[in-house]
Amino acid sequence: MRCVYEMEEKSMKATGIVRRIDDLGRIVIPKEIRRTLHIRESDPLEIFTDREGQIILKKYSPIGEMSTFAKQYAESLAQVSGHAALIADRDQFIAAAGGYKQLVNKSVSKQLDEKVHNRETLMASRGDRGFINVCDEGGEEYQHEAIAPILCEGDIIGSVVLLQNDNKARMGEVEQKLLLSAAGFLGRQMEQ
């Protein structure tokens, strides 16, 4: 059998790397491939097989499984908060409402990944020391941001982000409570 990790279901590339299965049935995914595909220690991988006897490993995104729900929740959050609302898994944005829809399916920035990995909740304005770009591929015109990690059974599975363009009105306690409530609710939904 062949073992293939694929980011998109129809694109497979030969790597030229061959690994043997050990006596416990384990196989090591080479560091270079893990780094390239952003596979971290303890990331869940979903296992598929096809009719030709191939084994396909795909990075599992619990939030991605509920993308329709995430989109509806982002729309509700944007409407209530008056800000753009984005929901991301560990790798990319899966839902956006109230603006920044161009970020859907774009990778989260390394800075955002680090903040979420460290379980940090962040509220900042452009020019503040803690301000980060949430995506390296556009959307830099916002002036204020609020970010909270989504936790499911103690594991980090993504983040909720609020963005605002208005240079005068800063986000405050209300936005922080909305953000934490959203992250907590989404995490609990994944536990069910």
Side-chain angles (χ1 to χ4, degrees):
M1 282 194 221
R2 252 174 56 188
C3 181
V4 179
Y5 179 94
E6 55 181 6
M7 289 191 58
E8 295 177 348
E9 293 177 17
K10 298 200 179 193
S11 64
M12 294 189 347
K13 296 179 186 175
T15 63
I17 300 171
V18 176
R19 296 290 167 118
R20 297 202 182 277
I21 295 176
D22 71 10
D23 58 341
L24 295 176
R26 297 175 298 197
I27 187 168
V28 174
I29 300 171
K31 188 178 200 174
E32 300 80 24
I33 292 174
R34 293 192 318 262
R35 186 179 307 128
T36 301
L37 298 176
H38 306 289
I39 301 171
R40 300 174 212 49
E41 184 179 323
S42 80
D43 276 352
L45 298 177
E46 197 167 8
I47 302 170
F48 298 90
T49 59
D50 67 11
R51 292 183 183 158
E52 287 82 41
Q54 294 180 347
I55 297 172
I56 301 163
L57 301 176
K58 185 175 180 188
K59 195 167 184 180
Y60 177 70
S61 169
I63 293 180
E65 294 291 315
M66 56 184 267
S67 61
T68 302
F69 178 77
K71 182 180 178 192
Q72 292 170 348
Y73 197 85
E75 288 169 357
S76 177
L77 186 58
Q79 187 176 24
V80 168
S81 70
H83 307 301
L86 296 96
I87 299 173
D89 64 14
R90 290 294 308 271
D91 298 310
Q92 65 184 5
F93 293 98
I94 61 163
Y100 303 98
K101 291 186 181 187
Q102 75 274 16
L103 296 182
V104 173
N105 297 323
K106 303 273 188 195
S107 297
V108 300
S109 70
K110 186 172 179 72
Q111 294 170 313
L112 176 57
D113 182 54
E114 288 173 5
K115 296 285 184 191
V116 170
H117 178 75
N118 293 331
R119 300 171 185 246
E120 293 180 44
T121 299
L122 170 72
M123 290 190 67
S125 297
R126 189 169 295 280
D128 291 352
R129 186 174 185 196
F131 188 85
I132 64 169
N133 285 326
V134 296
C135 181
D136 295 327
E137 303 176 53
E140 293 87 13
E141 65 272 4
Y142 56 90
Q143 299 301 312
H144 309 283
E145 63 189 5
I147 301 163
I150 300 171
L151 302 175
C152 177
E153 297 177 349
D155 293 328
I156 303 159
I157 61 170
S159 58
V160 180
V161 179
L162 293 177
L163 301 176
Q164 179 184 349
N165 266 340
D166 186 355
N167 203 12
K168 296 176 185 169
R170 296 176 67 98
M171 290 191 211
E173 187 178 339
V174 171
E175 287 84 1
Q176 184 176 23
K177 287 181 179 180
L178 272 173
L179 187 71
L180 293 173
S181 176
F185 178 78
L186 290 167
R188 284 188 299 279
Q189 288 301 304
M190 296 309 305
E191 291 174 359
Q192 296 177 358

Short mmCIF file of all heavy atoms in Angstrom, two decimals, residues 72-119:
data_model
loop_
_atom_site.label_atom_id
_atom_site.label_comp_id
_atom_site.label_asym_id
_atom_site.label_seq_id
_atom_site.Cartn_x
_atom_site.Cartn_y
_atom_site.Cartn_z
N GLN A 72 -22.68 30.82 9.56
CA GLN A 72 -23.88 31.41 10.16
C GLN A 72 -23.54 32.09 11.48
O GLN A 72 -24.05 33.18 11.78
CB GLN A 72 -24.94 30.33 10.37
CG GLN A 72 -25.51 29.79 9.09
CD GLN A 72 -26.38 28.55 9.31
OE1 GLN A 72 -26.38 27.95 10.39
NE2 GLN A 72 -27.10 28.16 8.28
N TYR A 73 -22.67 31.48 12.25
CA TYR A 73 -22.29 32.07 13.53
C TYR A 73 -21.51 33.37 13.31
O TYR A 73 -21.72 34.35 14.01
CB TYR A 73 -21.48 31.08 14.37
CG TYR A 73 -21.43 31.49 15.81
CD1 TYR A 73 -22.45 31.15 16.69
CD2 TYR A 73 -20.39 32.26 16.30
CE1 TYR A 73 -22.43 31.56 18.01
CE2 TYR A 73 -20.35 32.67 17.62
CZ TYR A 73 -21.37 32.32 18.47
OH TYR A 73 -21.35 32.74 19.78
N ALA A 74 -20.61 33.38 12.32
CA ALA A 74 -19.85 34.60 12.00
C ALA A 74 -20.80 35.72 11.58
O ALA A 74 -20.63 36.88 11.98
CB ALA A 74 -18.82 34.32 10.92
N GLU A 75 -21.82 35.39 10.79
CA GLU A 75 -22.80 36.39 10.36
C GLU A 75 -23.55 36.96 11.56
O GLU A 75 -23.74 38.18 11.66
CB GLU A 75 -23.78 35.78 9.35
CG GLU A 75 -23.14 35.53 8.00
CD GLU A 75 -24.00 34.69 7.06
OE1 GLU A 75 -25.10 34.23 7.46
OE2 GLU A 75 -23.57 34.49 5.91
N SER A 76 -23.94 36.11 12.46
CA SER A 76 -24.64 36.57 13.67
C SER A 76 -23.73 37.43 14.53
O SER A 76 -24.14 38.50 15.02
CB SER A 76 -25.13 35.35 14.46
OG SER A 76 -25.75 35.76 15.64
N LEU A 77 -22.50 37.01 14.71
CA LEU A 77 -21.53 37.76 15.52
C LEU A 77 -21.24 39.13 14.90
O LEU A 77 -21.16 40.13 15.60
CB LEU A 77 -20.25 36.94 15.67
CG LEU A 77 -19.17 37.49 16.60
CD1 LEU A 77 -19.71 37.67 18.02
CD2 LEU A 77 -17.97 36.54 16.61
N ALA A 78 -21.11 39.18 13.58
CA ALA A 78 -20.87 40.45 12.90
C ALA A 78 -22.06 41.39 13.06
O ALA A 78 -21.89 42.59 13.30
CB ALA A 78 -20.58 40.21 11.42
N GLN A 79 -23.25 40.84 12.95
CA GLN A 79 -24.46 41.65 13.08
C GLN A 79 -24.59 42.23 14.49
O GLN A 79 -24.87 43.40 14.67
CB GLN A 79 -25.68 40.81 12.73
CG GLN A 79 -26.96 41.61 12.66
CD GLN A 79 -28.13 40.75 12.22
OE1 GLN A 79 -28.12 39.54 12.36
NE2 GLN A 79 -29.14 41.39 11.68
N VAL A 80 -24.36 41.41 15.50
CA VAL A 80 -24.49 41.85 16.88
C VAL A 80 -23.38 42.82 17.27
O VAL A 80 -23.63 43.82 17.95
CB VAL A 80 -24.49 40.63 17.84
CG1 VAL A 80 -24.35 41.05 19.29
CG2 VAL A 80 -25.74 39.81 17.65
N SER A 81 -22.17 42.56 16.83
CA SER A 81 -21.02 43.38 17.25
C SER A 81 -20.83 44.63 16.41
O SER A 81 -20.23 45.60 16.87
CB SER A 81 -19.74 42.55 17.21
OG SER A 81 -19.37 42.28 15.87
N GLY A 82 -21.29 44.59 15.15
CA GLY A 82 -21.03 45.71 14.25
C GLY A 82 -19.63 45.69 13.67
O GLY A 82 -19.19 46.66 13.06
N HIS A 83 -18.91 44.59 13.85
CA HIS A 83 -17.53 44.45 13.35
C HIS A 83 -17.46 43.27 12.40
O HIS A 83 -18.34 42.40 12.40
CB HIS A 83 -16.56 44.20 14.51
CG HIS A 83 -16.64 45.21 15.60
ND1 HIS A 83 -16.42 46.55 15.39
CD2 HIS A 83 -16.94 45.08 16.92
CE1 HIS A 83 -16.58 47.19 16.54
NE2 HIS A 83 -16.90 46.32 17.47
N ALA A 84 -16.40 43.20 11.63
CA ALA A 84 -16.16 42.01 10.81
C ALA A 84 -15.82 40.87 11.75
O ALA A 84 -15.07 41.05 12.72
CB ALA A 84 -15.02 42.26 9.83
N ALA A 85 -16.40 39.70 11.48
CA ALA A 85 -16.15 38.52 12.32
C ALA A 85 -15.58 37.42 11.45
O ALA A 85 -16.12 37.13 10.38
CB ALA A 85 -17.45 38.06 12.98
N LEU A 86 -14.48 36.82 11.90
CA LEU A 86 -13.84 35.72 11.18
C LEU A 86 -13.67 34.54 12.12
O LEU A 86 -13.41 34.72 13.31
CB LEU A 86 -12.47 36.14 10.66
CG LEU A 86 -12.46 37.25 9.61
CD1 LEU A 86 -12.22 38.57 10.28
CD2 LEU A 86 -11.40 36.98 8.58
N ILE A 87 -13.81 33.34 11.57
CA ILE A 87 -13.58 32.12 12.32
C ILE A 87 -12.54 31.32 11.55
O ILE A 87 -12.65 31.16 10.33
CB ILE A 87 -14.88 31.32 12.51
CG1 ILE A 87 -15.89 32.17 13.32
CG2 ILE A 87 -14.60 30.00 13.22
CD1 ILE A 87 -17.26 31.58 13.44
N ALA A 88 -11.53 30.85 12.26
CA ALA A 88 -10.44 30.11 11.63
C ALA A 88 -10.22 28.79 12.35
O ALA A 88 -10.49 28.66 13.55
CB ALA A 88 -9.15 30.93 11.68
N ASP A 89 -9.72 27.80 11.60
CA ASP A 89 -9.20 26.61 12.25
C ASP A 89 -7.73 26.91 12.52
O ASP A 89 -7.32 28.06 12.49
CB ASP A 89 -9.46 25.33 11.44
CG ASP A 89 -8.76 25.29 10.09
OD1 ASP A 89 -7.84 26.11 9.83
OD2 ASP A 89 -9.11 24.43 9.27
N ARG A 90 -6.91 25.93 12.77
CA ARG A 90 -5.51 26.20 13.09
C ARG A 90 -4.71 26.70 11.89
O ARG A 90 -3.66 27.32 12.04
CB ARG A 90 -4.83 24.94 13.63
CG ARG A 90 -5.27 24.49 15.01
CD ARG A 90 -4.90 25.45 16.12
NE ARG A 90 -3.52 25.84 16.17
CZ ARG A 90 -2.58 25.19 16.83
NH1 ARG A 90 -2.86 24.11 17.51
NH2 ARG A 90 -1.34 25.63 16.82
N ASP A 91 -5.23 26.46 10.67
CA ASP A 91 -4.45 26.79 9.48
C ASP A 91 -5.01 27.91 8.62
O ASP A 91 -4.26 28.66 8.03
CB ASP A 91 -4.31 25.54 8.61
CG ASP A 91 -3.56 24.44 9.32
OD1 ASP A 91 -2.49 24.72 9.86
OD2 ASP A 91 -4.07 23.30 9.36
N GLN A 92 -6.35 28.00 8.51
CA GLN A 92 -6.92 28.97 7.58
C GLN A 92 -8.26 29.49 8.08
O GLN A 92 -8.88 28.89 8.96
CB GLN A 92 -7.09 28.35 6.20
CG GLN A 92 -8.08 27.21 6.16
CD GLN A 92 -8.15 26.56 4.78
OE1 GLN A 92 -7.40 26.89 3.88
NE2 GLN A 92 -9.06 25.64 4.62
N PHE A 93 -8.70 30.59 7.49
CA PHE A 93 -9.99 31.16 7.81
C PHE A 93 -11.06 30.35 7.10
O PHE A 93 -10.95 30.08 5.91
CB PHE A 93 -10.06 32.63 7.41
CG PHE A 93 -9.15 33.50 8.22
CD1 PHE A 93 -7.91 33.87 7.73
CD2 PHE A 93 -9.51 33.90 9.49
CE1 PHE A 93 -7.05 34.65 8.49
CE2 PHE A 93 -8.66 34.67 10.26
CZ PHE A 93 -7.43 35.05 9.76
N ILE A 94 -12.10 29.96 7.84
CA ILE A 94 -13.15 29.14 7.23
C ILE A 94 -14.46 29.90 7.09
O ILE A 94 -15.36 29.46 6.38
CB ILE A 94 -13.38 27.83 8.00
CG1 ILE A 94 -13.81 28.12 9.43
CG2 ILE A 94 -12.15 26.95 7.98
CD1 ILE A 94 -14.44 26.92 10.10
N ALA A 95 -14.60 31.05 7.78
CA ALA A 95 -15.83 31.83 7.68
C ALA A 95 -15.50 33.30 7.95
O ALA A 95 -14.62 33.61 8.75
CB ALA A 95 -16.86 31.33 8.68
N ALA A 96 -16.24 34.18 7.27
CA ALA A 96 -16.09 35.62 7.47
C ALA A 96 -17.42 36.29 7.20
O ALA A 96 -18.16 35.88 6.31
CB ALA A 96 -15.01 36.19 6.55
N ALA A 97 -17.71 37.32 7.96
CA ALA A 97 -18.94 38.09 7.76
C ALA A 97 -18.69 39.53 8.17
O ALA A 97 -17.82 39.81 8.99
CB ALA A 97 -20.08 37.50 8.58
N GLY A 98 -19.43 40.45 7.56
CA GLY A 98 -19.27 41.86 7.89
C GLY A 98 -18.03 42.47 7.26
O GLY A 98 -17.58 43.53 7.66
N GLY A 99 -17.46 41.80 6.29
CA GLY A 99 -16.25 42.26 5.62
C GLY A 99 -15.16 41.20 5.64
O GLY A 99 -15.29 40.18 6.32
N TYR A 100 -14.13 41.41 4.87
CA TYR A 100 -12.96 40.53 4.81
C TYR A 100 -13.26 39.12 4.32
O TYR A 100 -12.56 38.17 4.65
CB TYR A 100 -12.23 40.49 6.16
CG TYR A 100 -11.82 41.86 6.62
CD1 TYR A 100 -12.59 42.56 7.53
CD2 TYR A 100 -10.70 42.47 6.08
CE1 TYR A 100 -12.24 43.85 7.92
CE2 TYR A 100 -10.34 43.75 6.47
CZ TYR A 100 -11.12 44.43 7.39
OH TYR A 100 -10.76 45.70 7.75
N LYS A 101 -14.29 38.97 3.51
CA LYS A 101 -14.63 37.65 2.97
C LYS A 101 -13.52 37.12 2.07
O LYS A 101 -13.42 35.92 1.85
CB LYS A 101 -15.97 37.69 2.24
CG LYS A 101 -17.12 37.90 3.20
CD LYS A 101 -18.45 37.81 2.54
CE LYS A 101 -19.51 38.06 3.61
NZ LYS A 101 -20.84 37.85 3.15
N GLN A 102 -12.66 38.02 1.58
CA GLN A 102 -11.54 37.59 0.75
C GLN A 102 -10.53 36.76 1.54
O GLN A 102 -9.68 36.07 0.96
CB GLN A 102 -10.83 38.80 0.10
CG GLN A 102 -9.95 39.62 1.04
CD GLN A 102 -10.67 40.72 1.82
OE1 GLN A 102 -11.90 40.71 1.92
NE2 GLN A 102 -9.91 41.65 2.38
N LEU A 103 -10.64 36.76 2.87
CA LEU A 103 -9.70 35.98 3.69
C LEU A 103 -10.13 34.52 3.85
O LEU A 103 -9.32 33.69 4.29
CB LEU A 103 -9.55 36.62 5.07
CG LEU A 103 -8.93 38.02 5.10
CD1 LEU A 103 -8.78 38.51 6.52
CD2 LEU A 103 -7.60 38.06 4.37
N VAL A 104 -11.38 34.18 3.49
CA VAL A 104 -11.83 32.80 3.61
C VAL A 104 -10.94 31.92 2.73
O VAL A 104 -10.64 32.25 1.59
CB VAL A 104 -13.32 32.65 3.22
CG1 VAL A 104 -13.73 31.20 3.18
CG2 VAL A 104 -14.19 33.43 4.20
N ASN A 105 -10.48 30.82 3.30
CA ASN A 105 -9.56 29.85 2.69
C ASN A 105 -8.12 30.36 2.59
O ASN A 105 -7.27 29.68 2.03
CB ASN A 105 -10.04 29.37 1.32
CG ASN A 105 -11.35 28.63 1.41
OD1 ASN A 105 -11.59 27.89 2.36
ND2 ASN A 105 -12.21 28.83 0.43
N LYS A 106 -7.83 31.51 3.15
CA LYS A 106 -6.45 32.01 3.22
C LYS A 106 -5.84 31.55 4.54
O LYS A 106 -6.51 31.40 5.55
CB LYS A 106 -6.41 33.54 3.15
CG LYS A 106 -7.04 34.14 1.94
CD LYS A 106 -6.09 34.22 0.82
CE LYS A 106 -6.76 35.02 -0.28
NZ LYS A 106 -6.19 34.95 -1.52
N SER A 107 -4.54 31.37 4.52
CA SER A 107 -3.83 30.91 5.73
C SER A 107 -3.79 31.99 6.79
O SER A 107 -3.64 33.18 6.47
CB SER A 107 -2.40 30.53 5.36
OG SER A 107 -2.39 29.45 4.48
N VAL A 108 -3.90 31.57 8.05
CA VAL A 108 -3.71 32.51 9.15
C VAL A 108 -2.22 32.87 9.19
O VAL A 108 -1.36 32.09 8.76
CB VAL A 108 -4.16 31.93 10.51
CG1 VAL A 108 -5.64 31.57 10.48
CG2 VAL A 108 -3.32 30.75 10.93
N SER A 109 -1.92 34.06 9.66
CA SER A 109 -0.52 34.49 9.73
C SER A 109 0.23 33.70 10.79
O SER A 109 -0.37 33.13 11.70
CB SER A 109 -0.44 35.98 10.05
OG SER A 109 -0.84 36.22 11.40
N LYS A 110 1.53 33.69 10.67
CA LYS A 110 2.37 33.02 11.67
C LYS A 110 2.17 33.68 13.03
O LYS A 110 2.13 32.99 14.05
CB LYS A 110 3.84 33.09 11.23
CG LYS A 110 4.78 32.31 12.12
CD LYS A 110 6.17 32.26 11.52
CE LYS A 110 7.15 31.52 12.37
NZ LYS A 110 6.97 30.09 12.39
N GLN A 111 2.00 35.00 13.05
CA GLN A 111 1.77 35.72 14.30
C GLN A 111 0.46 35.27 14.96
O GLN A 111 0.42 35.05 16.18
CB GLN A 111 1.71 37.22 14.06
CG GLN A 111 3.01 37.83 13.59
CD GLN A 111 2.81 39.27 13.15
OE1 GLN A 111 1.89 39.58 12.40
NE2 GLN A 111 3.68 40.15 13.63
N LEU A 112 -0.60 35.14 14.17
CA LEU A 112 -1.87 34.70 14.72
C LEU A 112 -1.75 33.26 15.22
O LEU A 112 -2.23 32.93 16.31
CB LEU A 112 -3.00 34.80 13.67
CG LEU A 112 -4.38 34.28 14.11
CD1 LEU A 112 -4.88 34.97 15.36
CD2 LEU A 112 -5.38 34.44 12.97
N ASP A 113 -1.08 32.42 14.45
CA ASP A 113 -0.89 31.04 14.88
C ASP A 113 -0.16 30.98 16.22
O ASP A 113 -0.53 30.20 17.10
CB ASP A 113 -0.11 30.27 13.80
CG ASP A 113 0.08 28.81 14.18
OD1 ASP A 113 -0.92 28.13 14.49
OD2 ASP A 113 1.24 28.35 14.18
N GLU A 114 0.87 31.81 16.41
CA GLU A 114 1.62 31.82 17.67
C GLU A 114 0.75 32.28 18.83
O GLU A 114 0.79 31.69 19.92
CB GLU A 114 2.86 32.72 17.55
CG GLU A 114 3.95 32.13 16.68
CD GLU A 114 5.10 33.09 16.44
OE1 GLU A 114 5.11 34.20 17.02
OE2 GLU A 114 5.98 32.74 15.63
N LYS A 115 -0.04 33.34 18.62
CA LYS A 115 -0.92 33.84 19.69
C LYS A 115 -1.92 32.76 20.10
O LYS A 115 -2.14 32.53 21.29
CB LYS A 115 -1.68 35.09 19.23
CG LYS A 115 -0.81 36.27 18.94
CD LYS A 115 -0.31 36.92 20.20
CE LYS A 115 0.49 38.17 19.88
NZ LYS A 115 1.21 38.68 21.02
N VAL A 116 -2.53 32.10 19.12
CA VAL A 116 -3.51 31.06 19.40
C VAL A 116 -2.83 29.88 20.07
O VAL A 116 -3.35 29.32 21.05
CB VAL A 116 -4.25 30.65 18.11
CG1 VAL A 116 -5.10 29.42 18.32
CG2 VAL A 116 -5.09 31.81 17.60
N HIS A 117 -1.66 29.48 19.57
CA HIS A 117 -0.92 28.36 20.16
C HIS A 117 -0.61 28.63 21.64
O HIS A 117 -0.65 27.72 22.47
CB HIS A 117 0.37 28.12 19.38
CG HIS A 117 1.21 27.02 19.96
ND1 HIS A 117 0.88 25.69 19.82
CD2 HIS A 117 2.36 27.07 20.69
CE1 HIS A 117 1.79 24.95 20.44
NE2 HIS A 117 2.69 25.76 20.97
N ASN A 118 -0.33 29.89 21.97
CA ASN A 118 -0.03 30.27 23.35
C ASN A 118 -1.29 30.58 24.16
O ASN A 118 -1.19 31.05 25.29
CB ASN A 118 0.91 31.48 23.37
CG ASN A 118 2.28 31.15 22.83
OD1 ASN A 118 2.74 30.01 22.92
ND2 ASN A 118 2.93 32.13 22.23
N ARG A 119 -2.45 30.34 23.54
CA ARG A 119 -3.75 30.52 24.19
C ARG A 119 -3.97 31.95 24.64
O ARG A 119 -4.60 32.22 25.67
CB ARG A 119 -3.92 29.55 25.36
CG ARG A 119 -3.83 28.11 24.94
CD ARG A 119 -3.78 27.15 26.11
NE ARG A 119 -3.58 25.80 25.63
CZ ARG A 119 -4.47 24.84 25.74
NH1 ARG A 119 -5.62 25.06 26.34
NH2 ARG A 119 -4.22 23.64 25.27
#
